[in-house]
Amino acid sequence: MLEKELKRAGNVDVQLLGSSAEGVFGDEGPKLTGFAAFKDSFRRQEPSALDIDPNLSDAEKIAIMTANSPLSRSLKSRHLQMISIGGTIGTGLFVGSGSALRTGGPGGVLIAWLIVGGMIYAMIQAVGELAVTFPVSGAYCTYSIRFIDESWGFAVAWNYLFGYFNGLALELIAASITIKYWNSEINTVGFIAIFYVLIVSINFFGVRGYGEAEFVFSLIKVMTIIGFIILGIVLICGGGPIGGYIGAKYWYHPGAFANGFKGVCSVFVTAGFSFGLTEMAGLAAAETANPRQAIPKAIKQVFWRIVLFYIISLTLIGCLIPYTDKHLFASSSVDASASPFVIAIVNGGIKGLPSVMNVVIIVAVLSVGNTCVFASSRVLAALSAAGLAPKIFLYIDKRGRPIAGIILQSIVGLLCFLAASPKQGEVFTWLMAIGGISGFVNWGSICLGHIRFRYALKKKGRDTSELAYVSQCGVWGSYYGLLICVLILAAQFWIALFPLGKKPNASGFFAAYLAMPVILGFYVAHKIWSKNWKLYIRWEDMDIDTGRRDLDLDLLKQELASEKAALAAKPWYYRVYRFWC
């Protein structure tokens, strides 16, 4: 099957050495037990030798290498679905929404999250279509390399990788600040060490360890938000200990918007930060046993996460807290006391629950840090396979762990101990600056990659009938997603240059917009290094076959037609359920 796949990519000479259950890797030898098995699991998983035609383009060679990564394929459907529902809910929602409310008011928050949420839904649908069709190592980073331009893919991937690298330290520093909610004088270094060891240990258990941990973390977050929504409705209706109907009075006084149009523009990045890592379902595709079945279900859950966990909860927050509330003006952007969820409970006169909510915030922080380790090691392995990172990071052991990438992330993650510095708030700000707007650049690149893929498919005389999953938003959804990302990047440039309520200054500009110069620097450096001066990959040169697990397209079309016919015979309510779930 692998030989057929590689030849489909374009006259590739393939020499397969050895075989295994997957038909890709060599024989692992006799089974070991006990410590010997544990020790042996860290040995390198040797892939079969691939004698690739040197006349192929760089994009085609990259496609072949990333399509044949020896990563484990043991992530289950329930893991992927729970990761999509609540896996990336973290400080952006629980804490960052407080500063957004203060800056934009309840109307600004709702507008920003609705617009960004719509873009996210269109983007994740594009990810779903590409990831089901090409469940390859590196996922969305690889798609930019294959369908847009190698230099652009390199720049976006490395900048996003820096965001992941910072993510572990960033989230652990956030955890240390959250712990100070109970005692501002406490030394948090010991807690950070415990959290650090926990996250690194989880990732050394492999993708199954990550999946099980995220399943539990996400379940806790989802149950908490559902509980808060119920509590919020009760408090708004006057059913709390303090009593008194609240309704929408804070929308009238002090008002719906805190700083007008500029205030709304200032909220977009916070909204984007809260949706960070939503595309993880696509990155995990290469390690999913059955991406054709698991990914569409997981992708559809994102709609409910946007509506239930973001829009509804933030609408309730806007009704429960005026944007002038003194608690929103905490000294740190990640101060747990500035969490609107905590403030709403405190203002409602409920005792005990604020501490419970802060425990959940810590769980959310650990969850996102855990995801950063998982994501960075996989993206680094994909870049290494593509020849865009040192080959050592292509080291994947017999349990399918990109062990070199996990070790590097663990070393960089030691920056978390900067939390012991009295300048921890400043450290947090600059670590955030590196990742800042990179999410919008990556999401826009995903949408553009989907547009380019569909264009190549059409020009080659083929259509969506050969795709196991088709984006519910179609290619126009990706156009919308790309447009929104461009507009938000422009708005953020304006805000970075002329900050709200402050005079223009270089420090503030780079704290808000540092990611863009970094991306452009990587892009130009790769152009010079590779001497590849073309602006984009022509449709004639795009490889739209390598990496497919369903290589027999005629058989796939028959199966899809049979599945559609079976679904059409079901009652209308079942068809509606399947569309959204």
Side-chain angles (χ1 to χ4, degrees), residues 156-344:
V156 171
W158 269 102
N159 183 71
Y160 215 60
L161 191 60
F162 279 2
Y164 287 142
F165 279 154
N166 291 335
L168 177 58
L170 193 71
E171 296 301 325
L172 290 177
I173 290 174
S176 72
I177 298 174
T178 303
I179 288 172
K180 290 188 176 183
Y181 174 82
W182 291 284
N183 184 347
S184 60
E185 302 299 324
I186 193 172
N187 188 334
T188 59
V189 173
F191 288 99
I192 289 178
I194 294 171
F195 295 152
Y196 174 84
V197 171
L198 174 64
I199 290 175
V200 172
S201 299
I202 288 171
N203 280 273
F204 272 105
F205 278 102
V207 69
R208 285 292 296 275
Y210 166 76
E212 293 296 348
E214 282 306 302
F215 184 85
V216 174
F217 288 156
S218 298
L219 190 61
I220 293 172
K221 290 185 283 185
V222 167
M223 292 176 64
T224 299
I225 294 179
I226 291 174
F228 177 82
I229 289 173
I230 296 171
L231 176 63
I233 293 172
V234 171
L235 292 175
I236 289 172
C237 294
I242 295 178
Y245 178 75
I246 299 175
K249 73 175 184 180
Y250 295 134
W251 282 69
Y252 297 99
H253 181 76
F257 299 97
N259 293 286
F261 178 71
K262 197 169 188 177
V264 176
C265 290
S266 301
V267 174
F268 280 120
V269 170
T270 306
F273 181 68
S274 74
F275 284 111
L277 301 176
T278 301
E279 65 280 4
M280 275 303 302
L283 188 63
E287 297 178 75
T288 304
N290 189 350
R292 181 177 159 189
Q293 297 294 327
I295 293 177
K297 291 181 180 178
I299 291 300
K300 292 174 183 178
Q301 306 305 320
V302 173
F303 172 81
W304 300 109
R305 189 182 83 183
I306 293 171
V307 173
L308 292 176
F309 304 148
Y310 288 91
I311 304 304
I312 292 180
S313 64
L314 290 175
T315 300
L316 295 175
I317 287 292
C319 292
L320 290 167
I321 308 170
Y323 65 75
T324 54
D325 191 297
K326 64 179 181 180
H327 297 99
L328 292 174
F329 295 80
S331 59
S332 170
S333 59
V334 291
D335 193 331
S337 64
S339 167
F341 291 81
V342 174
I343 295 171

Side-chain angles (χ1 to χ4, degrees), residues 69 71-84 88 124 127-128 130-132 134-141 143 164 207-208 210-211 214 277-292 294-296 298-299 371 374-379 382 400 549:
S69 170
L71 292 170
S72 172
R73 294 179 179 177
S74 55
L75 204 61
K76 295 182 179 180
S77 179
R78 66 179 177 87
H79 296 143
L80 204 58
Q81 289 190 56
M82 191 55 72
I83 289 169
S84 295
T88 57
I124 200 65
V127 167
L130 293 172
V132 172
F134 308 102
V136 299
S137 173
Y140 42 84
C141 296
Y143 303 145
Y164 287 142
V207 69
R208 285 292 296 275
Y210 166 76
E214 282 306 302
L277 301 176
T278 301
E279 65 280 4
M280 275 303 302
L283 188 63
E287 297 178 75
T288 304
N290 189 350
R292 181 177 159 189
I295 293 177
I299 291 300
T371 297
F374 174 85
S376 65
S377 58
R378 272 64 181 177
V379 171
R549 290 192 192 175

Side-chain angles (χ1 to χ4, degrees), residues 6 8 39 62-63 114 116 124 169 190 267 279 358 361 384 545:
L6 295 178
R8 185 185 288 272
K39 181 180 177 181
I62 290 170
L114 279 170
V116 176
I124 200 65
V267 174
E279 65 280 4
N358 274 286
I361 292 174
S384 181
D545 289 303

Side-chain angles (χ1 to χ4, degrees), residues 453-524:
F453 165 68
R454 284 288 196 92
Y455 181 74
L457 195 69
K458 180 179 178 181
K459 295 294 286 186
K460 291 175 186 285
R462 295 155 67 173
D463 56 39
T464 57
S465 64
E466 67 179 54
L467 303 180
Y469 179 74
V470 178
S471 167
Q472 293 175 336
C473 300
V475 70
W476 289 108
S478 291
Y479 276 113
Y480 167 79
L482 178 60
L483 175 63
I484 293 299
C485 287
V486 171
L487 291 177
I488 289 176
L489 288 172
Q492 182 59 17
F493 179 80
W494 175 46
I495 296 299
L497 202 58
F498 303 102
L500 190 65
K502 300 178 182 177
K503 293 182 178 180
N505 64 90
S507 176
F509 176 81
F510 284 108
Y513 220 73
L514 180 61
M516 188 56 73
V518 172
I519 292 172
L520 294 177
F522 275 122
Y523 177 77
V524 172

